Coordinates of all heavy atoms in Angstrom, one line a residue:
A1 N -8.1 15.0 -3.3 CA -8.4 14.3 -4.6 C -8.4 12.7 -4.3 O -7.7 12.3 -3.4 CB -7.5 14.6 -5.7
I2 N -9.2 12.0 -5.0 CA -9.2 10.6 -4.9 C -7.8 10.0 -5.2 O -7.1 10.5 -6.1 CB -10.2 9.9 -5.9 CG1 -10.3 8.5 -5.7 CG2 -10.0 10.3 -7.3 CD1 -11.5 7.8 -6.4
D3 N -7.4 9.0 -4.5 CA -6.1 8.3 -4.7 C -6.2 7.4 -6.0 O -6.9 6.4 -5.9 CB -5.7 7.6 -3.5 CG -4.4 6.7 -3.7 OD1 -3.7 6.9 -4.6 OD2 -4.2 5.9 -2.8
P4 N -5.5 7.7 -7.1 CA -5.6 6.9 -8.2 C -5.0 5.5 -8.0 O -5.3 4.6 -8.8 CB -4.9 7.6 -9.3 CG -3.9 8.6 -8.6 CD -4.6 8.9 -7.3
Q5 N -4.3 5.3 -7.0 CA -3.8 3.9 -6.6 C -4.6 3.2 -5.5 O -4.1 2.4 -4.8 CB -2.3 4.1 -6.1 CG -1.4 4.8 -7.0 CD -1.3 4.2 -8.3 OE1 -1.2 2.9 -8.5 NE2 -1.2 4.9 -9.4
F6 N -5.9 3.7 -5.5 CA -6.7 3.1 -4.4 C -6.8 1.6 -4.3 O -6.9 1.0 -3.3 CB -8.1 3.8 -4.4 CG -8.9 3.3 -5.5 CD1 -9.8 2.2 -5.4 CD2 -8.9 4.0 -6.7 CE1 -10.5 1.7 -6.5 CE2 -9.7 3.6 -7.8 CZ -10.5 2.4 -7.7
H7 N -6.8 1.0 -5.5 CA -6.9 -0.5 -5.5 C -5.7 -1.2 -4.9 O -5.8 -2.3 -4.5 CB -7.2 -1.1 -6.9 CG -6.9 -0.2 -8.0 ND1 -5.6 0.3 -8.3 CD2 -7.7 0.4 -9.0 CE1 -5.7 1.1 -9.3 NE2 -6.9 1.2 -9.8
E8 N -4.6 -0.5 -4.8 CA -3.4 -1.1 -4.1 C -3.3 -0.6 -2.6 O -2.9 -1.3 -1.8 CB -2.1 -0.6 -4.8 CG -1.9 -1.3 -6.1 CD -1.0 -0.5 -7.1 OE1 -0.2 0.3 -6.6 OE2 -1.2 -0.6 -8.3
N9 N -3.8 0.6 -2.4 CA -3.7 1.2 -1.1 C -4.9 0.9 -0.1 O -4.8 1.2 1.1 CB -3.4 2.7 -1.2 CG -2.2 3.1 -1.9 OD1 -1.2 2.2 -1.9 ND2 -2.1 4.2 -2.5
R10 N -5.9 0.4 -0.7 CA -7.1 0.2 0.1 C -7.5 -1.3 0.0 O -7.2 -1.9 -1.0 CB -8.3 1.1 -0.3 CG -8.1 2.6 0.1 CD -9.2 3.4 -0.5 NE -9.1 4.8 -0.2 CZ -10.0 5.5 0.4 NH1 -11.1 4.9 0.8 NH2 -9.8 6.8 0.6
D11 N -8.4 -1.7 0.9 CA -8.9 -3.0 0.8 C -10.4 -3.0 0.3 O -11.1 -2.1 0.8 CB -8.9 -3.8 2.2 CG -7.5 -4.1 2.6 OD1 -6.7 -4.4 1.7 OD2 -7.2 -3.9 3.8
Q12 N -10.8 -4.0 -0.4 CA -12.2 -4.1 -0.8 C -13.0 -4.7 0.4 O -12.7 -5.8 0.8 CB -12.3 -5.1 -2.1 CG -13.5 -5.1 -2.9 CD -13.4 -6.0 -4.0 OE1 -12.3 -6.1 -4.6 NE2 -14.5 -6.7 -4.3
V13 N -13.9 -3.9 0.9 CA -14.5 -4.3 2.2 C -16.0 -4.7 2.0 O -16.6 -5.2 3.0 CB -14.4 -3.2 3.2 CG1 -12.9 -2.9 3.6 CG2 -15.1 -1.9 2.8
D14 N -16.5 -4.4 0.8 CA -18.0 -4.6 0.7 C -18.4 -4.5 -0.8 O -17.5 -4.2 -1.6 CB -18.8 -3.5 1.5 CG -20.2 -3.9 1.8 OD1 -20.6 -5.0 1.5 OD2 -20.9 -3.1 2.5
E15 N -19.6 -4.9 -1.1 CA -20.2 -4.7 -2.4 C -21.5 -3.8 -2.3 O -22.2 -3.9 -1.2 CB -20.5 -6.0 -3.0 CG -19.3 -6.8 -3.4 CD -19.4 -7.4 -4.7 OE1 -20.5 -7.6 -5.3 OE2 -18.4 -7.9 -5.3
H16 N -21.7 -3.0 -3.2 CA -23.0 -2.3 -3.3 C -23.6 -2.3 -4.6 O -22.9 -1.8 -5.6 CB -22.6 -0.8 -2.8 CG -23.8 0.1 -2.9 ND1 -23.8 1.3 -3.6 CD2 -25.0 0.1 -2.2 CE1 -25.0 1.8 -3.5 NE2 -25.7 1.2 -2.6
E17 N -24.7 -2.7 -4.9 CA -25.4 -2.7 -6.2 C -24.5 -3.3 -7.3 O -24.4 -2.7 -8.4 CB -25.9 -1.3 -6.5 CG -26.8 -0.7 -5.5 CD -28.2 -1.3 -5.5 OE1 -28.6 -1.8 -6.6 OE2 -28.9 -1.2 -4.5
G18 N -23.7 -4.3 -6.9 CA -22.9 -5.0 -7.9 C -21.5 -4.4 -8.2 O -20.8 -4.9 -9.0
H19 N -21.1 -3.3 -7.4 CA -19.8 -2.8 -7.6 C -19.1 -2.8 -6.2 O -19.7 -3.0 -5.1 CB -19.8 -1.4 -8.1 CG -20.6 -0.3 -7.4 ND1 -21.9 0.0 -7.8 CD2 -20.4 0.3 -6.3 CE1 -22.4 0.9 -7.0 NE2 -21.5 1.1 -6.1
S20 N -17.8 -2.7 -6.2 CA -17.0 -2.9 -5.0 C -17.0 -1.6 -4.2 O -17.2 -0.5 -4.7 CB -15.6 -3.1 -5.3 OG -15.4 -4.4 -6.0
V21 N -16.8 -1.8 -2.8 CA -16.6 -0.7 -1.9 C -15.2 -0.9 -1.3 O -14.9 -1.9 -0.8 CB -17.7 -0.6 -0.8 CG1 -17.4 0.5 0.1 CG2 -19.1 -0.5 -1.5
W22 N -14.4 0.2 -1.4 CA -13.0 0.2 -0.9 C -12.9 1.0 0.4 O -13.3 2.1 0.4 CB -12.1 0.7 -2.0 CG -12.2 0.1 -3.3 CD1 -13.1 0.2 -4.2 CD2 -11.3 -1.0 -3.8 NE1 -12.9 -0.6 -5.3 CE2 -11.8 -1.4 -5.1 CE3 -10.2 -1.6 -3.2 CZ2 -11.2 -2.4 -5.8 CZ3 -9.5 -2.6 -4.0 CH2 -10.1 -3.0 -5.3
G23 N -12.5 0.3 1.5 CA -12.5 0.9 2.8 C -11.4 1.9 3.0 O -10.6 2.2 2.0
P24 N -11.3 2.5 4.2 CA -12.1 2.1 5.4 C -13.5 2.8 5.3 O -13.6 3.8 4.8 CB -11.3 2.7 6.5 CG -10.5 3.8 5.9 CD -10.1 3.4 4.5
V25 N -14.4 2.0 5.9 CA -15.8 2.5 6.0 C -16.2 2.5 7.4 O -15.9 1.5 8.2 CB -16.7 1.5 5.2 CG1 -18.2 1.9 5.5 CG2 -16.5 1.6 3.7
D26 N -16.7 3.6 7.9 CA -17.3 3.7 9.3 C -18.5 4.6 9.2 O -18.4 5.8 9.4 CB -16.2 4.2 10.2 CG -16.7 4.3 11.7 OD1 -17.6 3.7 12.0 OD2 -15.9 5.0 12.5
E27 N -19.6 4.0 8.9 CA -20.8 4.8 8.6 C -21.4 5.5 9.9 O -21.2 4.9 10.9 CB -22.0 3.9 8.0 CG -21.6 3.3 6.6 CD -22.6 2.3 6.1 OE1 -23.7 2.2 6.7 OE2 -22.4 1.8 5.1
P28 N -21.9 6.7 9.8 CA -22.2 7.4 8.5 C -21.1 8.4 8.1 O -21.2 8.9 7.0 CB -23.5 8.1 8.8 CG -23.4 8.5 10.3 CD -22.6 7.3 10.9
E29 N -20.1 8.5 8.9 CA -19.1 9.6 8.6 C -18.1 9.2 7.6 O -17.6 10.1 6.9 CB -18.3 9.9 9.9 CG -19.2 10.6 11.0 CD -19.7 9.5 12.0 OE1 -19.5 8.4 11.7 OE2 -20.5 10.0 12.8
E30 N -17.8 7.9 7.4 CA -16.7 7.5 6.5 C -17.3 6.4 5.6 O -17.7 5.4 6.1 CB -15.5 7.0 7.3 CG -14.2 6.8 6.6 CD -13.0 6.4 7.5 OE1 -13.2 5.9 8.6 OE2 -11.9 6.8 7.1
L31 N -17.2 6.7 4.3 CA -18.0 5.8 3.4 C -17.1 5.1 2.3 O -17.5 4.2 1.6 CB -19.1 6.7 2.7 CG -20.1 7.3 3.6 CD1 -21.0 8.2 2.8 CD2 -20.9 6.1 4.3
G32 N -15.8 5.5 2.3 CA -14.9 4.9 1.3 C -15.1 5.2 -0.1 O -15.8 6.2 -0.4
I33 N -14.6 4.4 -1.0 CA -14.7 4.6 -2.5 C -15.6 3.6 -3.0 O -15.5 2.4 -2.8 CB -13.3 4.5 -3.1 CG1 -12.4 5.6 -2.7 CG2 -13.4 4.4 -4.6 CD1 -11.0 5.5 -3.1
H34 N -16.6 4.0 -3.9 CA -17.5 3.1 -4.5 C -17.1 3.0 -6.0 O -16.8 4.0 -6.7 CB -18.9 3.6 -4.5 CG -19.6 3.3 -3.2 ND1 -20.9 2.8 -3.1 CD2 -19.2 3.6 -1.9 CE1 -21.2 2.7 -1.9 NE2 -20.3 3.2 -1.1
G35 N -17.0 1.7 -6.5 CA -16.7 1.5 -7.9 C -15.2 1.1 -8.1 O -14.4 1.3 -7.2
T36 N -14.9 0.5 -9.3 CA -13.6 0.2 -9.6 C -13.1 0.8 -10.9 O -12.2 1.6 -11.0 CB -13.4 -1.4 -9.6 OG1 -13.8 -1.9 -8.3 CG2 -12.0 -1.8 -10.0
H37 N -13.8 0.5 -12.0 CA -13.5 1.2 -13.3 C -13.8 2.6 -13.2 O -13.0 3.5 -13.6 CB -14.2 0.5 -14.4 CG -13.9 1.2 -15.7 ND1 -12.6 1.0 -16.3 CD2 -14.6 2.0 -16.5 CE1 -12.6 1.8 -17.4 NE2 -13.7 2.3 -17.6
V38 N -15.0 3.0 -12.7 CA -15.4 4.3 -12.4 C -15.5 4.4 -10.8 O -16.4 3.8 -10.2 CB -16.8 4.8 -13.0 CG1 -17.1 6.2 -12.6 CG2 -16.7 4.5 -14.5
A39 N -14.6 5.1 -10.2 CA -14.5 5.1 -8.7 C -14.8 6.5 -8.3 O -14.2 7.5 -8.8 CB -13.1 4.7 -8.3
V40 N -15.7 6.6 -7.2 CA -16.1 7.8 -6.6 C -15.7 7.7 -5.1 O -16.2 6.9 -4.4 CB -17.6 8.1 -6.8 CG1 -17.9 9.5 -6.1 CG2 -18.0 8.1 -8.2
D41 N -14.9 8.7 -4.7 CA -14.5 8.8 -3.3 C -15.7 9.5 -2.6 O -15.8 10.7 -2.6 CB -13.1 9.5 -3.1 CG -12.6 9.3 -1.6 OD1 -13.5 9.3 -0.8 OD2 -11.4 9.3 -1.5
F42 N -16.5 8.7 -1.9 CA -17.6 9.3 -1.2 C -17.3 10.2 -0.1 O -18.1 11.1 0.3 CB -18.6 8.2 -0.7 CG -19.5 7.5 -1.6 CD1 -19.3 7.7 -3.0 CD2 -20.6 6.8 -1.2 CE1 -20.2 7.2 -3.9 CE2 -21.5 6.3 -2.1 CZ -21.3 6.4 -3.4
D43 N -16.0 10.1 0.4 CA -15.6 11.0 1.5 C -15.1 12.4 1.0 O -14.9 13.3 1.8 CB -14.6 10.3 2.4 CG -15.2 9.1 3.0 OD1 -16.3 9.3 3.7 OD2 -14.6 8.0 3.0
I44 N -15.0 12.5 -0.4 CA -14.6 13.7 -1.0 C -15.8 14.4 -1.7 O -16.0 15.6 -1.8 CB -13.5 13.5 -2.0 CG1 -12.2 13.1 -1.2 CG2 -13.2 14.8 -2.8 CD1 -11.0 12.7 -2.2
C45 N -16.6 13.5 -2.3 CA -17.9 14.0 -3.1 C -18.7 14.9 -2.2 O -19.1 14.6 -1.1 CB -18.7 12.9 -3.5 SG -20.2 13.3 -4.3
L46 N -19.0 16.2 -2.7 CA -19.9 17.1 -2.0 C -21.2 17.3 -2.7 O -21.8 18.4 -2.6 CB -19.1 18.4 -1.6 CG -18.2 19.0 -2.6 CD1 -18.9 19.5 -3.9 CD2 -17.4 20.1 -2.0
A47 N -21.5 16.4 -3.6 CA -22.8 16.4 -4.3 C -23.0 17.5 -5.3 O -24.1 18.1 -5.5 CB -24.0 16.3 -3.3
D48 N -21.9 17.9 -6.0 CA -21.9 19.0 -7.0 C -22.9 18.6 -8.1 O -23.7 19.4 -8.5 CB -20.6 19.2 -7.6 CG -20.6 20.2 -8.7 OD1 -20.5 21.4 -8.4 OD2 -20.6 19.8 -9.8
G49 N -22.9 17.4 -8.5 CA -23.9 16.9 -9.5 C -23.4 17.0 -11.0 O -24.1 16.5 -11.9
A50 N -22.3 17.6 -11.3 CA -21.9 17.8 -12.7 C -21.6 16.4 -13.3 O -22.0 16.2 -14.5 CB -20.6 18.6 -12.7
C51 N -21.2 15.5 -12.6 CA -20.9 14.1 -13.1 C -22.3 13.4 -13.6 O -22.4 12.9 -14.6 CB -20.1 13.3 -12.3 SG -21.0 12.9 -10.6
V52 N -23.2 13.6 -12.7 CA -24.5 13.0 -13.0 C -25.2 13.6 -14.2 O -25.8 12.9 -15.1 CB -25.5 13.2 -11.7 CG1 -26.8 12.6 -12.0 CG2 -24.8 12.6 -10.5
E53 N -25.0 14.9 -14.3 CA -25.7 15.7 -15.5 C -24.9 15.4 -16.7 O -25.5 15.3 -17.8 CB -25.6 17.2 -15.2 CG -26.7 17.6 -14.1 CD -26.5 19.0 -13.6 OE1 -25.9 19.8 -14.4 OE2 -26.9 19.3 -12.5
D54 N -23.6 15.3 -16.7 CA -22.8 15.3 -17.9 C -22.5 13.9 -18.5 O -22.1 13.9 -19.7 CB -21.5 16.1 -17.7 CG -21.8 17.6 -17.5 OD1 -22.9 18.0 -17.6 OD2 -20.8 18.3 -17.3
C55 N -22.6 12.9 -17.7 CA -22.1 11.6 -18.2 C -23.1 11.2 -19.4 O -24.3 11.1 -19.2 CB -22.2 10.5 -17.1 SG -21.9 8.8 -17.8
P56 N -22.5 10.9 -20.5 CA -23.4 10.6 -21.7 C -24.1 9.3 -21.7 O -25.1 9.1 -22.4 CB -22.4 10.7 -22.9 CG -21.1 10.4 -22.3 CD -21.1 10.9 -20.9
V57 N -23.7 8.4 -20.8 CA -24.3 7.1 -20.7 C -24.9 6.8 -19.4 O -25.2 5.7 -19.0 CB -23.3 6.0 -21.1 CG1 -23.0 6.1 -22.6 CG2 -22.1 6.0 -20.3
D58 N -25.1 7.8 -18.5 CA -25.8 7.7 -17.2 C -25.3 6.7 -16.3 O -26.0 5.8 -15.8 CB -27.3 7.5 -17.5 CG -28.0 8.6 -18.2 OD1 -27.5 9.7 -18.0 OD2 -29.0 8.4 -18.9
V59 N -24.0 6.8 -16.1 CA -23.3 5.8 -15.2 C -23.8 6.1 -13.7 O -23.8 5.1 -12.9 CB -21.8 5.9 -15.3 CG1 -21.0 5.4 -14.1 CG2 -21.3 5.3 -16.6
F60 N -24.0 7.3 -13.4 CA -24.2 7.7 -12.0 C -25.7 7.8 -11.6 O -26.5 8.2 -12.4 CB -23.5 9.1 -11.7 CG -22.1 9.1 -12.0 CD1 -21.7 9.7 -13.3 CD2 -21.1 8.6 -11.2 CE1 -20.3 9.7 -13.7 CE2 -19.8 8.6 -11.5 CZ -19.4 9.2 -12.7
E61 N -25.8 7.4 -10.3 CA -27.2 7.5 -9.7 C -27.1 8.1 -8.3 O -26.1 7.7 -7.6 CB -27.9 6.2 -9.6 CG -28.3 5.6 -11.0 CD -28.9 4.2 -10.8 OE1 -29.2 3.7 -9.7 OE2 -29.2 3.6 -11.9
W62 N -27.9 9.0 -8.0 CA -27.9 9.6 -6.6 C -28.2 8.6 -5.6 O -29.2 7.8 -5.8 CB -28.8 10.8 -6.5 CG -28.4 12.0 -7.3 CD1 -29.1 12.6 -8.3 CD2 -27.2 12.9 -7.0 NE1 -28.4 13.7 -8.7 CE2 -27.3 13.9 -7.9 CE3 -26.2 12.8 -6.0 CZ2 -26.3 14.9 -7.9 CZ3 -25.3 13.8 -6.1 CH2 -25.3 14.8 -7.0
I63 N -27.4 8.6 -4.5 CA -27.9 7.8 -3.3 C -27.8 8.7 -2.1 O -27.0 9.6 -2.0 CB -27.1 6.5 -3.1 CG1 -25.6 6.8 -2.8 CG2 -27.2 5.6 -4.3 CD1 -25.0 5.6 -2.1
D64 N -28.7 8.4 -1.1 CA -28.8 9.2 0.1 C -27.7 8.7 1.1 O -27.6 7.5 1.3 CB -30.1 9.1 0.7 CG -31.2 9.8 -0.1 OD1 -30.8 10.8 -0.8 OD2 -32.4 9.4 -0.2
T65 N -27.0 9.7 1.7 CA -25.9 9.3 2.7 C -26.1 10.2 3.9 O -25.3 11.0 4.2 CB -24.5 9.4 2.1 OG1 -24.4 10.8 1.6 CG2 -24.3 8.5 0.9
P66 N -27.2 10.1 4.6 CA -27.5 10.9 5.7 C -26.4 10.8 6.8 O -26.0 9.7 7.1 CB -28.9 10.4 6.3 CG -29.0 9.1 5.7 CD -28.3 9.1 4.4
G67 N -26.0 12.0 7.3 CA -25.0 12.0 8.4 C -23.6 12.1 7.9 O -22.7 12.2 8.7
H68 N -23.4 12.1 6.6 CA -22.0 12.3 6.1 C -21.6 13.8 6.2 O -22.4 14.7 5.7 CB -21.8 11.8 4.7 CG -20.4 11.7 4.3 ND1 -19.7 12.8 3.7 CD2 -19.4 10.8 4.5 CE1 -18.4 12.4 3.5 NE2 -18.2 11.2 4.0
P69 N -20.4 14.1 6.6 CA -20.1 15.6 6.8 C -19.9 16.4 5.6 O -20.2 17.6 5.6 CB -18.7 15.4 7.6 CG -18.2 14.0 7.4 CD -19.4 13.2 7.3
E70 N -19.6 15.7 4.4 CA -19.5 16.5 3.2 C -20.8 16.8 2.5 O -21.0 17.9 2.0 CB -18.5 15.8 2.2 CG -17.0 15.8 2.6 CD -16.4 17.2 2.7 OE1 -16.9 18.2 2.1 OE2 -15.4 17.4 3.4
S71 N -21.6 15.8 2.4 CA -22.9 15.9 1.8 C -23.7 14.7 2.0 O -23.2 13.6 2.3 CB -22.7 16.0 0.2 OG -22.1 14.9 -0.2
E72 N -25.1 14.9 2.0 CA -26.0 13.8 2.3 C -26.5 13.1 1.1 O -27.6 12.4 1.2 CB -27.1 14.4 3.3 CG -26.5 14.9 4.5 CD -27.4 15.0 5.7 OE1 -28.6 15.4 5.5 OE2 -26.9 14.7 6.8
E73 N -25.9 13.4 -0.1 CA -26.2 12.6 -1.3 C -24.8 12.3 -1.9 O -23.9 13.1 -1.8 CB -27.0 13.4 -2.3 CG -28.5 13.5 -2.1 CD -29.1 14.3 -3.2 OE1 -28.6 15.4 -3.5 OE2 -30.0 13.8 -3.8
K74 N -24.7 11.3 -2.6 CA -23.4 11.0 -3.3 C -23.8 10.4 -4.7 O -24.9 9.8 -5.0 CB -22.6 9.8 -2.6 CG -22.3 10.1 -1.2 CD -21.4 11.3 -1.0 CE -21.2 11.7 0.5 NZ -20.3 12.9 0.6
A75 N -22.9 10.6 -5.7 CA -23.0 10.2 -7.1 C -22.4 8.7 -7.1 O -21.2 8.6 -7.0 CB -22.3 11.0 -8.0
D76 N -23.3 7.7 -7.1 CA -22.9 6.4 -7.1 C -22.7 5.8 -8.5 O -23.6 6.0 -9.3 CB -24.0 5.6 -6.4 CG -23.6 4.1 -6.0 OD1 -22.5 4.0 -5.6 OD2 -24.4 3.2 -6.1
P77 N -21.6 5.2 -8.8 CA -21.3 4.7 -10.1 C -22.0 3.4 -10.4 O -21.4 2.3 -10.7 CB -19.8 4.6 -10.1 CG -19.4 4.2 -8.7 CD -20.3 5.0 -7.9
A78 N -23.3 3.5 -10.3 CA -24.2 2.3 -10.4 C -24.0 1.5 -11.7 O -24.2 0.3 -11.7 CB -25.6 2.7 -10.2
N79 N -23.8 2.2 -12.8 CA -23.7 1.6 -14.1 C -22.3 1.7 -14.7 O -22.1 2.0 -15.8 CB -24.7 2.2 -15.0 CG -26.1 2.2 -14.4 OD1 -26.6 1.2 -14.0 ND2 -26.7 3.4 -14.4
E80 N -21.2 1.4 -13.8 CA -19.9 1.7 -14.3 C -19.5 0.8 -15.5 O -18.7 1.2 -16.3 CB -18.9 1.4 -13.1 CG -18.8 0.0 -12.6 CD -17.6 -0.1 -11.6 OE1 -16.8 0.8 -11.4 OE2 -17.5 -1.3 -11.1
V81 N -20.2 -0.3 -15.7 CA -19.8 -1.2 -16.8 C -20.2 -0.5 -18.2 O -19.7 -1.0 -19.2 CB -20.6 -2.6 -16.7 CG1 -20.0 -3.4 -15.6 CG2 -22.1 -2.4 -16.6
Q82 N -21.1 0.5 -18.1 CA -21.5 1.2 -19.3 C -20.5 2.3 -19.7 O -20.7 2.9 -20.8 CB -22.9 1.8 -19.2 CG -24.0 0.7 -19.1 CD -25.3 1.3 -18.8 OE1 -25.5 2.4 -18.9 NE2 -26.2 0.4 -18.4
C83 N -19.5 2.6 -18.9 CA -18.6 3.7 -19.1 C -17.9 3.6 -20.4 O -17.5 2.5 -20.8 CB -17.6 3.7 -18.0 SG -16.3 5.0 -18.2
I84 N -17.8 4.7 -21.2 CA -17.2 4.7 -22.5 C -15.8 5.5 -22.4 O -15.2 5.9 -23.5 CB -18.0 5.3 -23.6 CG1 -18.5 6.7 -23.2 CG2 -19.3 4.4 -23.9 CD1 -19.3 7.4 -24.4
D85 N -15.4 5.7 -21.2 CA -14.0 6.3 -21.0 C -13.8 7.7 -21.6 O -12.8 8.1 -22.1 CB -12.9 5.4 -21.5 CG -12.9 4.1 -20.8 OD1 -13.5 4.0 -19.7 OD2 -12.2 3.1 -21.3
C86 N -15.0 8.5 -21.6 CA -14.9 9.8 -22.2 C -14.1 10.8 -21.3 O -13.7 11.9 -21.7 CB -16.3 10.3 -22.6 SG -17.2 10.9 -21.1
M87 N -14.0 10.5 -20.0 CA -13.3 11.3 -19.0 C -14.0 12.6 -18.6 O -13.4 13.4 -17.9 CB -11.8 11.6 -19.4 CG -11.1 10.3 -19.8 SD -11.2 9.0 -18.5 CE -9.8 9.5 -17.4
L88 N -15.2 12.8 -19.1 CA -15.9 14.1 -18.8 C -16.1 14.2 -17.3 O -15.9 15.3 -16.7 CB -17.2 14.1 -19.5 CG -17.9 15.4 -19.9 CD1 -16.9 16.3 -20.6 CD2 -19.1 15.1 -20.7
C89 N -16.6 13.1 -16.7 CA -16.8 13.3 -15.2 C -15.6 13.7 -14.4 O -15.6 14.5 -13.5 CB -17.4 11.9 -14.7 SG -16.3 10.5 -14.9
V90 N -14.4 13.1 -14.8 CA -13.2 13.4 -14.1 C -12.9 14.9 -14.3 O -12.4 15.5 -13.4 CB -12.1 12.5 -14.8 CG1 -10.7 12.9 -14.2 CG2 -12.3 11.0 -14.4
D91 N -13.2 15.4 -15.5 CA -12.8 16.8 -15.8 C -13.8 17.8 -15.0 O -13.4 18.8 -14.7 CB -12.9 17.0 -17.3 CG -11.8 16.4 -18.1 OD1 -10.8 16.0 -17.4 OD2 -11.9 16.2 -19.3
V92 N -15.0 17.4 -14.9 CA -16.0 18.4 -14.4 C -16.1 18.4 -12.8 O -16.6 19.3 -12.3 CB -17.4 18.2 -15.0 CG1 -17.4 18.5 -16.5 CG2 -18.0 16.9 -14.7
C93 N -15.7 17.3 -12.2 CA -15.9 17.2 -10.7 C -15.0 18.3 -10.0 O -13.8 18.3 -10.2 CB -15.6 15.9 -10.2 SG -15.7 15.8 -8.4
P94 N -15.6 19.3 -9.3 CA -14.8 20.3 -8.8 C -13.9 19.9 -7.7 O -12.9 20.7 -7.3 CB -15.9 21.3 -8.2 CG -17.0 20.4 -7.9 CD -17.0 19.4 -9.0
V95 N -14.0 18.7 -7.1 CA -13.2 18.3 -5.9 C -12.4 17.0 -6.3 O -11.8 16.4 -5.4 CB -14.0 18.1 -4.7 CG1 -14.4 19.5 -4.1 CG2 -15.2 17.2 -4.9
D96 N -12.3 16.7 -7.6 CA -11.5 15.5 -8.0 C -11.9 14.3 -7.3 O -11.0 13.5 -6.8 CB -10.1 15.8 -8.0 CG -9.6 16.8 -9.0 OD1 -10.2 17.0 -10.0 OD2 -8.6 17.6 -8.7
A97 N -13.2 14.0 -7.1 CA -13.6 12.9 -6.3 C -13.6 11.6 -7.2 O -13.8 10.4 -6.7 CB -15.0 13.1 -5.7
I98 N -13.5 11.7 -8.6 CA -13.7 10.6 -9.5 C -12.4 10.2 -10.1 O -11.6 11.0 -10.6 CB -14.7 10.9 -10.5 CG1 -16.0 11.5 -9.9 CG2 -15.0 9.7 -11.4 CD1 -17.0 12.0 -10.9
D99 N -12.2 8.8 -10.2 CA -11.0 8.2 -11.0 C -11.7 7.3 -12.0 O -12.4 6.4 -11.6 CB -10.1 7.5 -10.1 CG -8.9 6.9 -10.8 OD1 -8.0 7.6 -11.3 OD2 -8.9 5.7 -11.0
V100 N -11.3 7.4 -13.3 CA -11.7 6.5 -14.3 C -10.5 5.8 -14.8 O -9.5 6.5 -15.3 CB -12.5 7.1 -15.5 CG1 -12.8 6.1 -16.5 CG2 -13.8 7.7 -14.9
D101 N -10.4 4.4 -14.7 CA -9.3 3.7 -15.2 C -9.4 3.3 -16.6 O -10.0 2.4 -17.0 CB -9.1 2.4 -14.3 CG -7.9 1.7 -14.7 OD1 -7.1 2.2 -15.5 OD2 -7.7 0.6 -14.3
A102 N -9.0 4.3 -17.4 CA -9.2 4.1 -18.9 C -8.1 3.2 -19.4 O -8.0 3.0 -20.7 CB -9.2 5.4 -19.6
G103 N -7.2 2.7 -18.7 CA -6.2 1.7 -19.0 C -5.2 2.3 -20.0 O -4.7 1.6 -20.9
Ligands
LIG1 FE1 -19.5 8.7 -17.8 FE2 -17.5 9.4 -19.4 FE3 -17.3 9.4 -16.7 FE4 -17.4 7.1 -18.0 S1 -15.7 8.6 -18.2 S2 -18.5 7.6 -16.2 S3 -18.8 7.6 -19.7 S4 -18.6 10.7 -17.9
LIG2 FE1 -19.7 14.4 -6.4 FE2 -17.9 15.4 -8.0 FE3 -20.1 14.2 -9.0 S1 -18.7 16.3 -6.1 S2 -21.6 14.6 -7.4 S3 -18.4 13.3 -7.8 S4 -19.1 16.1 -9.8
LIG3 ZN1 -22.2 2.3 -4.6

């Protein structure tokens, strides 16, 4: 499961489409965590898609991650600023790849 303390335990190493990327990153096998308020551990995500389908405000967008051992697509929290903290994505992800900091 994603580490809910990732912002303390990891370093912000990059930005992607306006959100942070938390390392370590070693492409293409190791991709880190994308997002801060809505955080997706790309190294755990196996492209189930429930989060993409169920988010009521379309926070997630698919991105291609060729060569990653778990899956070659990831749910990117591209619109994390629109999150309404419903926690649905956290509940439906089968591998607990998502952390939402509802404060
Ligand atoms: Fe979407 Fe709700 Fe998840 Fe926020 S908590 S990203 S609104 S499903
Ligand atoms: Fe990935 Fe979990 Fe969504 S596996 S696509 S973060 S439901
Ligand atoms: Zn991203």
Side-chain angles (χ1 to χ4, degrees):
I2 186 170
D3 174 9
Q5 306 300 320
F6 70 90
H7 19 58
E8 288 155 27
N9 296 335
R10 292 175 178 235
D11 294 324
Q12 197 179 321
V13 295
D14 202 357
E15 291 220 346
H16 176 241
E17 303 287 337
H19 55 262
S20 297
V21 179
W22 304 81
V25 170
D26 184 13
E27 293 178 5
E29 294 90 359
E30 192 171 27
L31 299 173
I33 291 175
H34 280 231
T36 300
H37 181 72
V38 180
V40 180
D41 192 325
F42 276 18
D43 296 310
I44 296 174
C45 173
L46 39 66
D48 176 82
C51 61
V52 181
E53 287 168 25
D54 289 357
C55 176
V57 292
D58 294 333
V59 161
F60 304 98
E61 290 178 6
W62 287 116
I63 64 161
D64 293 327
T65 57
H68 190 270
E70 288 296 338
S71 59
E72 299 201 321
E73 281 184 308
K74 304 294 175 187
D76 192 36
N79 308 308
E80 67 172 355
V81 292
Q82 292 173 16
C83 176
I84 57 170
D85 299 344
C86 73
M87 306 308 275
L88 204 53
C89 57
V90 173
D91 292 340
V92 295
C93 178
V95 288
D96 291 332
I98 308 175
D99 180 72
V100 174
D101 181 13

